[in-house]
């Protein structure tokens, strides 16, 4: 068995310039994958690619609107034509949304924004890559959800429904794609403690929640109220999420599909 988990694999990461997408891309490249980074912000994609190149890895970037189905399909076709296949795909796209507003103050638009946004891009990217995956080369589609998929708390109606939808999508897609030798695994991390420092949109997302608790966002995540809601009394790091993603994308996890990898630090127990 090779020492590199993802040697000679071609991996596309949508939202590759983001905190989680960038962290996963760096680990994928370290483990031997040729990484294709796609997203809306060229500067952030290029910054991740430079880190990968500096470490001796292979990365290419493309500015792609992941809500544009035709553009995403064209991009996937170009990768398959250049690399020969797409072996791994991760959707790490972020969709700004509301957390903290109860039903009485929540508009229909605010409720639907994460549901439509996250599931739309997940459908578009999964459909684009699936046709270039599997058969003789095993394929892996990784999705991301959140503990809100199963938490019963107020103020996260749209967020929680979208998270549950992403997990249902992964389970159902796994059943459809298994005959084509494609695995689908959802990763459910809690908020990454070092996400805001890496440019995650969670810094803005959690500011009202932190303020209500009399804390800064950093205090909320690092030992504060959100961390105290987990069994481990801490939140996962970007490195832990990325390392788990690399394992799940590898042949060492070849019997894992149609399931949720729970990285919530014990906020949820299965």
């Amino acid at each position: 068995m090779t020492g590199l988990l993802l040697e000679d694999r071609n991996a596309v990461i949508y939202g590759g310039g983001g905190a989680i997408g960038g962290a996963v891309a760096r680990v994928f490249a370290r483990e031997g994958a040729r990484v294709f980074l796609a997203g809306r912000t060229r500067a952030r994609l290029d910054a991740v690619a430079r880190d990968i190149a500096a470490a001796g890895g292979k990365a290419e970037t493309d500015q792609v609107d992941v809500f544009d189905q035709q553009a995403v399909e064209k991009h996937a076709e170009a990768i398959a034509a250049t690399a020969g296949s797409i072996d791994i795909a991760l959707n790490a796209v972020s969709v700004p949304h509301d957390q903290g507003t109860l039903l009485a103050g929540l508009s229909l638009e605010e409720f639907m924004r994460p549901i439509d946004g996250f599931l739309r891009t997940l459908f578009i990217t999964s459909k684009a890559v699936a046709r270039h995956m599997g058969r003789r080369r095993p394929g892996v589609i990784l999705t991301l959800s959140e503990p809100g998929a199963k938490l019963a708390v107020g103020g996260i109606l749209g967020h929680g429904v979208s998270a549950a939808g992403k997990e249902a999508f992964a389970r159902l897609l796994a059943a459809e794609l298994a005959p084509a030798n494609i695995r689908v695994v959802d990763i459910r991390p809690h908020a990454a403690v070092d996400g805001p420092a890496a440019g995650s949109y969670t810094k803005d997302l959690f500011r009202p929640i932190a303020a209500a608790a009399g804390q800064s966002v950093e205090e909320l995540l690092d030992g504060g109220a959100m961390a105290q809601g987990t069994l481990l009394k801490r939140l996962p790091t970007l490195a832990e999420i990325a390392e788990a993603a690399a394992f799940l994308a590898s042949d060492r996890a070849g019997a894992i599909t149609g399931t949720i990898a729970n990285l919530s630090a014990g906020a949820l127990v299965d």
Side-chain angles (χ1 to χ4, degrees):
M1 182 179 290
T2 177
L4 296 177
L5 288 175
L6 306 175
E7 189 169 18
D8 297 326
R9 303 294 171 87
N10 303 310
V12 57
I13 299 178
Y14 300 100
I20 291 179
V24 172
R26 294 179 182 95
V27 173
F28 277 12
R30 185 200 71 199
E31 292 298 330
R34 181 180 178 182
V35 178
F36 297 85
L37 304 171
R40 289 169 287 187
T41 308
R42 170 70 70 179
R44 298 189 68 176
L45 296 171
D46 289 345
V48 176
R50 284 194 297 270
D51 288 347
I52 290 173
K58 301 175 182 177
E60 300 173 35
T61 64
D62 282 290
Q63 193 168 14
V64 179
D65 180 356
V66 292
F67 294 99
D68 183 336
Q69 186 170 13
Q70 186 175 1
V72 172
E73 290 179 351
K74 183 177 179 181
H75 175 251
E77 288 169 2
I79 292 174
T82 299
S85 68
I86 296 174
D87 304 308
I88 304 163
L90 168 68
N91 186 313
V93 173
S94 60
V95 177
H97 59 279
D98 174 87
Q99 288 194 35
T101 304
L102 299 176
L103 175 64
L106 192 68
S107 70
L108 176 60
E109 180 183 9
E110 289 168 331
F111 171 70
M112 290 301 301
R113 184 177 296 121
I115 299 169
D116 181 77
F118 280 119
L119 293 177
R120 182 180 295 269
T121 183
L122 193 55
F123 177 89
I124 289 172
T125 57
S126 298
K127 186 169 184 176
V129 299
R131 67 189 63 180
H132 304 292
M133 278 186 166
R135 301 168 189 86
R136 284 177 289 183
R137 285 176 68 95
V140 183
I141 294 176
L142 300 175
T143 64
L144 290 169
S145 65
E146 300 83 25
K150 296 185 74 175
L151 286 174
V153 299
I156 61 167
L157 274 174
H159 166 71
V161 171
S162 71
K166 287 185 282 185
E167 295 187 0
F169 181 91
R171 288 193 299 269
L172 296 169
L173 190 63
E176 285 196 23
L177 298 183
N181 197 22
I182 300 172
R183 297 188 293 114
V184 183
V185 181
D186 180 81
I187 302 171
R188 184 204 287 153
H190 212 321
V193 64
D194 48 349
S200 171
Y201 78 123
T202 55
K203 185 171 186 178
D204 295 325
L205 181 67
F206 295 141
R207 187 173 286 117
I209 300 172
Q215 299 176 323
S216 67
V217 172
E218 290 73 20
E219 289 169 337
L220 177 75
L221 299 179
D222 192 1
M226 192 172 290
Q228 292 305 309
T230 71
L231 293 181
L232 296 179
K233 305 305 179 187
R234 70 173 184 87
L235 296 173
T237 65
L238 290 171
E240 288 173 329
I241 297 168
E243 296 290 348
F247 168 74
L248 291 168
S250 75
D251 288 343
R252 298 184 192 182
I256 299 176
T257 194
T259 193
I260 312 299
N262 186 353
L263 275 67
S264 71
L268 294 175
V269 292
D270 295 325

